Amino acid sequence: MKRYDSVIIGSGINSLTAAAMLAKRGQKVAVLERNSWIGGCIRTDEITLPGFKHDVFSGWHPLFVTGPAYGELKDELHKNGLEYVNTDVPTGVILPDQRSAVLYNNRQKNIEHFNRLMPGDGDRYHEAMKYFEANSEMIFTLFGNEPMSWAAIQSVFTSFRSKGITEFTRHVGSMVAPARKWLDLHFQSDAIKALIAPWILHTGIGPDDAAGSIMAQLIVFTLEAASMPIPKGGGSELVKAIMKIVTDNGGEFFTKAQVEQILVENGRVKGVRTLDKTDYHAQYVLANVTPQQLYDKLLTPDQVPAQVRKNAQNYQYGRADMQIHYALDRPLDWKDEELRRAAIIHLTGGMNGVSQSVTEAANGLLPKAGTIVLGQHTSYDPSRAPQGQHTLWIQLQEMPRNLAGDAAGQIDTAGGYTDQVVNAYVERIEERISRHVTHFKESILKRVAISPVELERYNPNLVGGDPYSGSSSVDQFLFWRPGTGYKRHETPIKNLYHIGASTHPGAGLGGTSGYLAVKAMKG
């Protein structure tokens, strides 16, 4: 038996930030990870060829560097060797007819660029961003605090009092509108709409889903303000820097340590037990798991109120994801030179194309022309590949969790995500990229694809390949994530806290869930 002040199940970004904060408080912390590496969805590995460092899962850190956890840990992280690099072109888009657009980390450049694409669109963009900034305090407070905390309630009340009931109601109504409505109201250029619309996918919803409007505004504001920072050398450099904070303060990390049971005595957490029957006793336990894992597997039925258990069983998951990684012998040869400096490029048919692909995936179909997310880490971090060579990070966010067919009618999916199905779909993606990038196929040294099935195999929080550990629809957001009846990170068990992407404020490499749980802890 081992004794600690706090035990943390899982080692993703929320676990790591919580561990660092608790260790700095003077607690003895243990982090237990079922895999052979620490970091959860932060993993840098040479999965294609030696010398090519790929961020295998998550790959971008704007949410982290703008979040409260980084603000508290920043000085020690950089003292421990973390170095962020950045670009002035966080994102771009390429349309089927070769038209393109980019977003800069500079408001005036964006206004001028958008006005060139469509006279007046840049001015409308400026007005939209000014309105968001003037009304952003309530939004950032809700995302950075527990939704039912005094800070969040006070922020809502202050906004209500300053606006009056009519304006406040109009403002809230605009927030819960779909992204499509906001884009159509402010832009005439379909290229600008195509630039912004695919980013809604990164929140786990689509352009026609409720609350997409506020998410679109929040994303554009964040990209413009923070651009797209990445750790020099790979995301695992952040993991190493956080781990050093923990170990320097007496904490420990254990790999291949899968927790099978949370130990409870008289309604209070006592510790955990791993598959090898090792007990880790602790005053506090933080569980970075899905609701079903927590309430159906790690706790026994008699320890969980019936409504909480029912809420967990009713918790829903969203679309699946597929990752493709490439080692390339040259950079992507975009015709628009600004795209060569962009961190993330979306290859899409536009807002309607995104909407169609979301619908196809929701109906179990491989999309005909799904959104391709192309990440160019080595465009501004050349240390990730041998000299003159490059990595390419591709994410496909409109994949069905339950594969039932192919919208194009070309791929036989009867066996599910088999190697044949995955390779056939990857070839469809490569054909589309090749229409925009000269000699793309000839530049490939090696590729590795990770299917939705493999994603869940790597990380059971990615149920069915859902990278966001649960649908981010409006009924599973803010006050309703992961369910009702308890504060967002507290549980029916005293001193047991629920953290991770399945909890408020949701998915993304930010660490705020772990941060909020630690702030709620009494010890």
Side-chain angles (χ1 to χ4, degrees):
M1 183 179 66
K2 301 172 182 288
R3 293 190 178 276
Y4 297 88
D5 296 308
S6 289
V7 167
I8 302 176
I9 304 170
S11 67
I13 185 62
N14 289 291
S15 299
L16 291 170
T17 54
M21 292 171 63
L22 290 170
K24 286 181 63 180
R25 276 190 188 181
Q27 285 202 16
K28 186 177 180 183
V29 179
V31 177
L32 308 181
E33 169 57 54
R34 68 188 290 276
N35 284 312
S36 59
W37 72 87
I38 297 295
C41 284
I42 309 175
R43 180 188 175 193
T44 306
D45 201 356
E46 297 179 347
I47 61 171
T48 56
L49 294 171
F52 290 85
K53 300 176 184 177
H54 302 271
D55 278 346
V56 180
F57 309 114
S58 62
W60 315 91
H61 294 215
L63 288 179
F64 182 69
V65 302
T66 56
Y70 178 67
E72 186 156 322
L73 301 173
K74 178 179 179 180
D75 291 343
E76 285 178 83
L77 291 174
H78 291 288
K79 188 176 81 171
N80 290 345
L82 178 66
E83 178 184 350
Y84 275 112
V85 293
N86 215 331
T87 175
D88 64 339
V89 187
T91 190
V93 68
I94 185 78
L95 291 159
D97 61 6
Q98 302 291 345
R99 286 180 302 140
S100 61
V102 297
L103 183 79
Y104 297 97
N105 65 344
N106 180 290
R107 176 69 52 81
Q108 190 56 41
K109 289 182 72 172
N110 286 328
I111 294 169
E112 294 169 359
H113 177 52
F114 289 179
N115 275 333
R116 284 194 298 272
L117 291 170
M118 177 63 70
D121 272 11
D123 299 323
R124 285 185 286 272
Y125 170 78
H126 183 43
E127 289 302 313
M129 286 296 99
K130 282 201 304 182
Y131 179 81
F132 176 82
E133 287 176 315
N135 295 278
S136 62
E137 182 179 353
M138 184 177 76
I139 305 303
F140 286 113
T141 302
L142 284 170
F143 280 103
N145 293 272
E146 298 288 6
M148 293 304 294
S149 66
W150 172 242
I153 294 169
Q154 187 177 42
S155 179
V156 173
F157 178 73
T158 299
S159 178
F160 174 82
R161 188 174 56 183
S162 65
K163 294 179 185 300
I165 187 169
T166 301
E167 176 60 21
F168 180 79
T169 303
R170 189 189 72 80
H171 175 57
V172 173
S174 70
M175 288 168 53
V176 299
R180 180 187 292 275
K181 183 174 182 179
W182 182 76
L183 291 169
D184 282 341
L185 281 172
H186 292 91
F187 306 107
Q188 294 180 21
S189 167
D190 59 344
I192 296 174
K193 295 177 186 179
L195 175 67
I196 299 172
W199 277 100
I200 301 303
L201 300 174
H202 296 261
T203 69
I205 59 177
D208 300 300
D209 290 327
S213 171
I214 192 59
M215 297 310 298
Q217 296 173 66
L218 180 62
I219 289 168
V220 171
F221 179 82
T222 301
L223 291 174
E224 193 181 73
S227 196
M228 196 63 79
I230 53 175
K232 184 177 181 180
S236 289
E237 295 303 310
L238 170 61
V239 175
K240 293 176 186 176
I242 296 178
M243 289 180 69
K244 192 169 191 310
I245 294 176
V246 177
T247 55
D248 283 352
N249 287 277
E252 294 182 89
F253 292 85
F254 298 89
T255 57
K256 297 183 179 180
Q258 182 171 344
V259 174
E260 70 168 359
Q261 183 184 354
I262 293 173
L263 305 176
V264 178
E265 190 174 272
N266 298 323
R268 178 187 293 267
V269 78
K270 181 181 174 183
V272 302
R273 177 170 295 152
T274 54
L275 284 178
D276 65 1
K277 306 306 177 186
T278 301
D279 286 358
Y280 297 77
H281 281 198
Q283 183 180 358
Y284 299 94
V285 171
L286 290 81
N288 191 341
V289 296
T290 65
Q292 287 97 337
Q293 289 180 64
L294 179 59
Y295 294 116
D296 280 345
K297 295 181 180 179
L298 298 179
L299 293 169
T300 58
D302 61 294
Q303 295 167 343
V304 183
Q307 187 58 53
V308 173
R309 192 179 177 97
K310 184 177 180 180
N311 287 343
Q313 292 167 346
N314 290 338
Y315 186 79
Q316 299 292 308
Y317 296 91
R319 296 181 305 278
D321 170 39
M322 182 185 289
Q323 301 284 143
I324 316 172
H325 296 283
Y326 292 90
L328 305 176
D329 68 5
R330 71 197 79 171
L332 296 180
D333 186 19
W334 300 106
K335 294 178 182 178
D336 181 349
E337 291 198 4
E338 293 296 85
L339 293 180
R340 300 179 187 184
R341 297 189 292 120
I344 282 183
I345 298 166
H346 291 104
L347 199 166
T348 175
M351 185 162 62
N352 288 337
V354 176
S355 179
Q356 178 177 323
S357 296
V358 166
T359 301
E360 289 169 344
N363 285 285
L365 304 177
L366 296 172
K368 292 179 184 176
T371 306
I372 305 174
V373 187
L374 301 107
Q376 304 184 126
H377 289 96
T378 44
S379 66
Y380 57 108
D381 182 10
S383 72
R384 296 181 180 219
Q387 187 172 2
Q389 299 179 320
H390 288 263
T391 64
L392 176 61
W393 179 98
I394 284 183
Q395 187 176 54
L396 307 173
Q397 298 173 301
E398 300 146 332
M399 304 295 290
R401 281 194 304 116
N402 300 304
L403 183 57
D406 176 23
Q410 299 169 344
I411 301 173
D412 180 0
T413 63
Y417 283 110
T418 62
D419 290 344
Q420 291 81 1
V421 168
V422 170
N423 289 330
Y425 195 70
V426 169
E427 287 169 11
R428 179 180 296 174
I429 298 302
E430 291 180 357
E431 287 295 332
R432 291 178 57 210
I433 296 172
S434 296
R435 297 171 201 160
H436 302 277
V437 179
T438 307
H439 305 304
F440 172 64
K441 288 190 178 182
E442 293 88 334
S443 72
I444 298 172
L445 299 173
K446 189 173 181 181
R447 81 178 184 209
V448 172
I450 304 174
S451 74
V453 173
E454 291 174 294
L455 284 175
E456 183 175 9
R457 193 177 300 140
Y458 278 123
N459 188 335
N461 288 353
L462 311 183
V463 178
D466 175 3
Y468 304 118
S469 293
S471 168
S472 299
S473 56
V474 70
D475 61 316
Q476 285 193 173
F477 202 50
L478 288 175
F479 310 98
W480 302 280
R481 192 174 187 92
T484 57
Y486 285 86
K487 292 182 181 179
R488 301 284 73 75
H489 297 98
E490 293 180 4
T491 71
I493 308 301
K494 188 171 179 59
N495 291 346
L496 171 62
Y497 291 84
H498 189 191
I499 64 172
S502 294
T503 70
H504 176 75
L509 202 160
T512 303
S513 170
Y515 172 90
L516 292 176
V518 170
K519 291 297 183 183
M521 292 170 64
K522 304 300 188 292

